[in-house]
Tab-separated table of all heavy atoms in Angstrom:
chain	number	residue	atom	x	y	z
A	75	CYS	N	-6.349	13.184	9.423
A	75	CYS	CA	-4.932	12.792	9.360
A	75	CYS	C	-4.884	11.352	8.856
A	75	CYS	O	-5.314	10.429	9.544
A	75	CYS	CB	-4.304	12.910	10.753
A	75	CYS	SG	-2.658	12.202	10.882
A	76	THR	N	-4.345	11.152	7.639
A	76	THR	CA	-4.474	9.838	6.994
A	76	THR	C	-3.139	9.115	6.769
A	76	THR	O	-3.142	7.972	6.335
A	76	THR	CB	-5.172	9.987	5.624
A	76	THR	OG1	-4.403	10.878	4.810
A	76	THR	CG2	-6.585	10.543	5.788
A	77	GLY	N	-2.022	9.759	7.034
A	77	GLY	CA	-0.728	9.138	6.755
A	77	GLY	C	-0.103	8.491	7.969
A	77	GLY	O	-0.209	9.001	9.082
A	78	PHE	N	0.534	7.328	7.767
A	78	PHE	CA	1.273	6.625	8.816
A	78	PHE	C	0.388	6.328	10.025
A	78	PHE	O	0.761	6.560	11.175
A	78	PHE	CB	2.502	7.449	9.234
A	78	PHE	CG	3.438	7.722	8.105
A	78	PHE	CD1	3.366	8.919	7.402
A	78	PHE	CD2	4.373	6.782	7.709
A	78	PHE	CE1	4.212	9.173	6.327
A	78	PHE	CE2	5.234	7.027	6.646
A	78	PHE	CZ	5.146	8.225	5.960
A	79	ARG	N	-0.793	5.792	9.727
A	79	ARG	CA	-1.728	5.410	10.788
A	79	ARG	C	-2.294	4.028	10.489
A	79	ARG	O	-2.650	3.742	9.328
A	79	ARG	CB	-2.899	6.391	10.877
A	79	ARG	CG	-2.538	7.771	11.342
A	79	ARG	CD	-3.782	8.624	11.465
A	79	ARG	NE	-4.716	8.069	12.443
A	79	ARG	CZ	-5.946	8.555	12.650
A	79	ARG	NH1	-6.388	9.572	11.934
A	79	ARG	NH2	-6.732	8.014	13.554
A	80	PRO	N	-2.392	3.173	11.496
A	80	PRO	CA	-3.016	1.863	11.273
A	80	PRO	C	-4.447	2.042	10.763
A	80	PRO	O	-5.211	2.859	11.288
A	80	PRO	CB	-3.002	1.224	12.675
A	80	PRO	CG	-1.920	1.946	13.418
A	80	PRO	CD	-1.920	3.345	12.884
A	81	GLY	N	-4.795	1.294	9.741
A	81	GLY	CA	-6.145	1.365	9.194
A	81	GLY	C	-6.363	2.479	8.189
A	81	GLY	O	-7.453	2.603	7.625
A	82	LYS	N	-5.353	3.318	7.974
A	82	LYS	CA	-5.456	4.401	6.987
A	82	LYS	C	-4.485	4.129	5.842
A	82	LYS	O	-3.500	3.414	6.009
A	82	LYS	CB	-5.126	5.751	7.624
A	82	LYS	CG	-6.079	6.180	8.736
A	82	LYS	CD	-7.369	6.717	8.177
A	82	LYS	CE	-8.242	7.298	9.276
A	82	LYS	NZ	-9.523	7.836	8.741
A	83	SER	N	-4.760	4.733	4.689
A	83	SER	CA	-3.919	4.493	3.518
A	83	SER	C	-4.054	5.669	2.560
A	83	SER	O	-4.793	6.630	2.821
A	83	SER	CB	-4.340	3.209	2.810
A	83	SER	OG	-5.640	3.375	2.245
A	84	ILE	N	-3.359	5.563	1.435
A	84	ILE	CA	-3.510	6.563	0.376
A	84	ILE	C	-4.968	6.648	-0.065
A	84	ILE	O	-5.483	7.729	-0.361
A	84	ILE	CB	-2.593	6.212	-0.819
A	84	ILE	CG1	-1.138	6.519	-0.458
A	84	ILE	CG2	-2.993	6.974	-2.074
A	84	ILE	CD1	-0.144	6.093	-1.505
A	85	LEU	N	-5.657	5.497	-0.078
A	85	LEU	CA	-7.066	5.489	-0.462
A	85	LEU	C	-7.900	6.321	0.505
A	85	LEU	O	-8.806	7.058	0.097
A	85	LEU	CB	-7.577	4.044	-0.506
A	85	LEU	CG	-8.810	3.773	-1.362
A	85	LEU	CD1	-8.608	4.219	-2.794
A	85	LEU	CD2	-9.177	2.302	-1.301
A	86	SER	N	-7.609	6.227	1.799
A	86	SER	CA	-8.310	7.043	2.802
A	86	SER	C	-8.105	8.524	2.514
A	86	SER	O	-8.988	9.352	2.800
A	86	SER	CB	-7.796	6.737	4.210
A	86	SER	OG	-7.749	5.366	4.472
A	87	ASN	N	-6.939	8.852	1.973
A	87	ASN	CA	-6.616	10.251	1.705
A	87	ASN	C	-7.270	10.771	0.434
A	87	ASN	O	-7.465	11.978	0.290
A	87	ASN	CB	-5.096	10.415	1.595
A	87	ASN	CG	-4.651	11.849	1.670
A	87	ASN	OD1	-4.936	12.543	2.637
A	87	ASN	ND2	-3.951	12.316	0.654
A	88	THR	N	-7.613	9.877	-0.480
A	88	THR	CA	-8.157	10.324	-1.767
A	88	THR	C	-9.682	10.301	-1.828
A	88	THR	O	-10.289	11.150	-2.491
A	88	THR	CB	-7.618	9.455	-2.917
A	88	THR	OG1	-7.964	8.083	-2.682
A	88	THR	CG2	-6.108	9.578	-3.030
A	89	LEU	N	-10.310	9.353	-1.153
A	89	LEU	CA	-11.763	9.177	-1.286
A	89	LEU	C	-12.581	10.442	-0.995
A	89	LEU	O	-13.559	10.718	-1.709
A	89	LEU	CB	-12.238	8.023	-0.391
A	89	LEU	CG	-11.942	6.620	-0.926
A	89	LEU	CD1	-12.248	5.557	0.129
A	89	LEU	CD2	-12.733	6.354	-2.208
A	90	PRO	N	-12.232	11.243	0.044
A	90	PRO	CA	-13.043	12.444	0.301
A	90	PRO	C	-12.992	13.482	-0.820
A	90	PRO	O	-13.803	14.418	-0.829
A	90	PRO	CB	-12.416	13.016	1.587
A	90	PRO	CG	-11.711	11.874	2.226
A	90	PRO	CD	-11.208	11.058	1.081
A	91	HIS	N	-12.053	13.329	-1.769
A	91	HIS	CA	-11.848	14.370	-2.783
A	91	HIS	C	-12.311	13.948	-4.176
A	91	HIS	O	-12.032	14.645	-5.154
A	91	HIS	CB	-10.369	14.760	-2.812
A	91	HIS	CG	-9.833	15.133	-1.473
A	91	HIS	ND1	-10.255	16.247	-0.778
A	91	HIS	CD2	-8.930	14.507	-0.661
A	91	HIS	CE1	-9.619	16.310	0.382
A	91	HIS	NE2	-8.823	15.261	0.483
A	92	CYS	N	-13.014	12.824	-4.260
A	92	CYS	CA	-13.453	12.326	-5.569
A	92	CYS	C	-14.659	13.117	-6.084
A	92	CYS	O	-15.597	13.398	-5.337
A	92	CYS	CB	-13.813	10.845	-5.487
A	92	CYS	SG	-12.386	9.794	-5.216
A	93	GLY	N	-14.621	13.447	-7.380
A	93	GLY	CA	-15.766	14.077	-8.039
A	93	GLY	C	-16.067	15.477	-7.585
A	93	GLY	O	-17.225	15.907	-7.627
A	94	ARG	N	-15.060	16.243	-7.181
A	94	ARG	CA	-15.266	17.601	-6.683
A	94	ARG	C	-15.002	18.631	-7.786
A	94	ARG	O	-14.256	18.376	-8.730
A	94	ARG	CB	-14.344	17.887	-5.493
A	94	ARG	CG	-14.548	16.948	-4.332
A	94	ARG	CD	-15.916	17.102	-3.727
A	94	ARG	NE	-16.165	16.104	-2.685
A	94	ARG	CZ	-17.300	16.003	-2.009
A	94	ARG	NH1	-18.290	16.818	-2.269
A	94	ARG	NH2	-17.444	15.071	-1.088
A	95	ARG	N	-15.593	19.793	-7.597
A	95	ARG	CA	-15.407	20.879	-8.569
A	95	ARG	C	-13.953	21.334	-8.603
A	95	ARG	O	-13.429	21.649	-9.679
A	95	ARG	CB	-16.320	22.050	-8.203
A	95	ARG	CG	-16.214	23.247	-9.133
A	95	ARG	CD	-17.151	24.345	-8.674
A	95	ARG	NE	-16.993	25.552	-9.476
A	95	ARG	CZ	-17.638	26.690	-9.228
A	95	ARG	NH1	-18.478	26.760	-8.198
A	95	ARG	NH2	-17.448	27.751	-9.986
A	96	PHE	N	-13.310	21.382	-7.455
A	96	PHE	CA	-11.898	21.757	-7.421
A	96	PHE	C	-11.154	20.885	-6.423
A	96	PHE	O	-11.732	20.353	-5.474
A	96	PHE	CB	-11.703	23.242	-7.052
A	96	PHE	CG	-11.953	23.550	-5.586
A	96	PHE	CD1	-10.942	23.367	-4.635
A	96	PHE	CD2	-13.184	24.017	-5.159
A	96	PHE	CE1	-11.169	23.643	-3.294
A	96	PHE	CE2	-13.412	24.293	-3.814
A	96	PHE	CZ	-12.407	24.106	-2.885
A	97	VAL	N	-9.862	20.726	-6.659
A	97	VAL	CA	-8.954	20.066	-5.725
A	97	VAL	C	-7.750	20.988	-5.548
A	97	VAL	O	-7.136	21.398	-6.533
A	97	VAL	CB	-8.493	18.680	-6.252
A	97	VAL	CG1	-7.351	18.131	-5.393
A	97	VAL	CG2	-9.650	17.696	-6.257
Side-chain angles (χ1 to χ4, degrees):
C75 170
T76 59
F78 301 96
R79 292 183 61 187
K82 297 282 187 180
S83 67
I84 286 175
L85 202 56
S86 311
N87 195 57
T88 58
L89 283 171
H91 307 294
C92 291
R94 301 295 174 181
R95 180 180 175 184
F96 74 84
V97 169

